[in-house]
Amino acid sequence: MMEIPVYTVDAFTNLPFKGNPAAICPLLHELSDELYQKIAAEMNLSETAFVTRINPSDNFTTGQVFRLRWFTPTNEVNLCGHATLATAAVLFQYKNNVNPTVVFETRSGDLSVTQQGQRIVMDFPLNPPTRQDPNEFRDIIKAAIGDHPVQDVYLSTTTKKLMVRLADSCERSLLTSLKVDPTALLSSERSGRVKGLILTMLGSPDCQPGYDFYSRYFAPWNGIPEDPVTGSAHTVLGSYWSDKLGKRKMRAYQCSRRGGELELEMRDDGRINIAGQTVTVLQGTIIL
């Protein structure tokens, strides 16, 4: 019999049942890809993360560099923010990792994660999007938001995330109340150019707590109808809004039903710091 420890951690929130839940499995040995996928399907969260030691003489308390992989219920993904935040929280809080910074070797290169008080700060790649002709994407835009006015359409080709900015005349309540049908999204975009849809709008930085922009994120192409809070989408959003607002530090709110808050800072090395808090809601054992 094999016993695999598992934690469910709500990321980008300081309240249980908010933010984005991820399942985290710290493993002493690598398992098969097939088993990773089965466990992720069983956990049935937007991502399940598997973290393993790279140096066999290390443990989760003393080690500084680990391997990290992320699986949705249907497939492995190249980058996942909330499950990285959640994995670091497990290492710092439950494995009592002694290092101020840990490094994860991933499909998106090395990701450094640092504990700063209550926050965990992730050093992520920046994925600047490029402006698109809205007519090229009118089917998917129509499926997502109907006839509401659009200000900008941008695409990040590296992440295959399409970003649609609602006109500034729209209220936040419009973004929050949109009912987006994942089946309609899937049938509206089959070219393979898009694997995730970001809807965003200008925030209200003058009202407390002062968000620079809002967003929602849909990825039915990866088996995720709507993702509650998405770190990887903010590698695109951070680039776009920093440029539009002329700001290097921003606070963002993803207004899904659960909701979550991210703090962003553009780095001098052309990357982005994405910071947030976490709450652990479950600790258990998978028995196989």
Side-chain angles (χ1 to χ4, degrees):
M1 188 173 72
M2 179 163 47
E3 294 192 349
I4 299 168
V6 62
Y7 301 79
T8 299
V9 180
D10 292 342
F12 296 118
T13 183
N14 58 357
L15 297 169
F17 313 125
K18 298 283 188 185
N20 200 351
I24 310 301
C25 296
L27 301 170
L28 292 176
H29 307 284
E30 293 272 4
L31 305 176
S32 70
D33 287 11
E34 182 188 16
L35 188 50
Y36 287 151
Q37 191 60 70
K38 284 180 174 173
I39 292 171
E42 185 79 5
M43 300 312 293
N44 201 31
L45 297 173
S46 55
E47 263 89 9
T48 298
F50 300 94
V51 58
T52 52
R53 303 169 303 166
I54 288 174
N55 183 344
S57 63
D58 273 346
N59 58 47
F60 288 117
T61 305
T62 59
Q64 189 166 17
V65 183
F66 302 94
R67 185 169 289 112
L68 181 62
R69 295 174 68 182
W70 311 279
F71 288 77
T72 77
T74 59
N75 57 280
E76 187 171 8
V77 294
N78 291 333
L79 183 65
C80 177
H82 83 280
T84 303
L85 198 74
T87 301
V90 168
L91 293 182
F92 290 136
Q93 291 164 20
Y94 293 92
K95 300 299 182 182
N96 299 314
N97 192 284
V98 296
N99 299 290
T101 299
V102 293
V103 178
F104 297 120
E105 290 187 2
T106 77
R107 278 188 169 191
S108 289
D110 289 0
L111 305 176
S112 298
V113 185
T114 305
Q115 191 165 26
Q116 286 184 359
Q118 298 297 304
R119 302 187 320 157
I120 293 173
V121 183
M122 305 184 293
D123 170 0
F124 264 37
L126 196 62
N127 291 299
T130 50
R131 184 190 286 274
Q132 305 293 313
D133 176 359
N135 288 320
E136 279 200 41
F137 296 97
R138 69 173 171 268
D139 291 347
I140 186 174
I141 294 170
K142 177 90 172 165
I145 64 169
D147 295 318
H148 293 296
V150 168
Q151 183 148 336
D152 270 337
V153 177
Y154 276 63
L155 179 67
S156 161
T157 49
T158 45
T159 63
K160 297 190 174 181
K161 293 186 192 327
L162 182 70
M163 191 206 81
V164 176
R165 174 181 172 182
L166 294 169
D168 292 350
S169 57
C170 298
E171 297 284 331
R172 173 182 168 180
S173 56
L174 167 66
L175 179 60
T176 306
S177 62
L178 277 174
K179 301 275 192 287
V180 179
D181 177 359
T183 311
L185 284 188
L186 278 175
S187 57
S188 71
E189 170 48 48
R190 299 180 187 275
S191 69
R193 283 186 304 174
V194 176
K195 294 290 185 187
L197 172 68
I198 303 167
L199 300 180
T200 189
M201 65 185 294
L202 186 65
S204 33
D206 302 331
C207 309
Q208 284 302 328
Y211 298 113
D212 292 290
F213 63 88
Y214 302 116
S215 69
R216 288 175 68 186
Y217 182 70
F218 307 88
W221 303 270
N222 278 323
I224 303 164
E226 179 172 5
D227 197 36
V229 199
T230 317
S232 61
H234 285 76
T235 66
V236 179
L237 285 161
S239 172
Y240 172 84
W241 283 110
S242 173
D243 194 43
K244 294 296 176 191
L245 301 173
K247 296 180 82 167
R248 292 181 66 80
K249 280 189 177 184
M250 294 168 291
R251 178 178 280 187
Y253 188 78
Q254 191 159 330
C255 38
S256 60
R257 191 172 50 79
R258 292 174 65 105
E261 185 176 297
L262 311 91
E263 292 178 53
L264 312 174
E265 184 171 4
M266 309 297 282
R267 297 168 52 94
D268 292 333
D269 60 4
R271 293 169 64 87
I272 185 170
N273 281 344
I274 302 178
Q277 295 180 259
T278 66
V279 182
T280 304
V281 293
L282 181 146
Q283 183 178 359
T285 309
I286 297 168
I287 300 164
L288 299 173

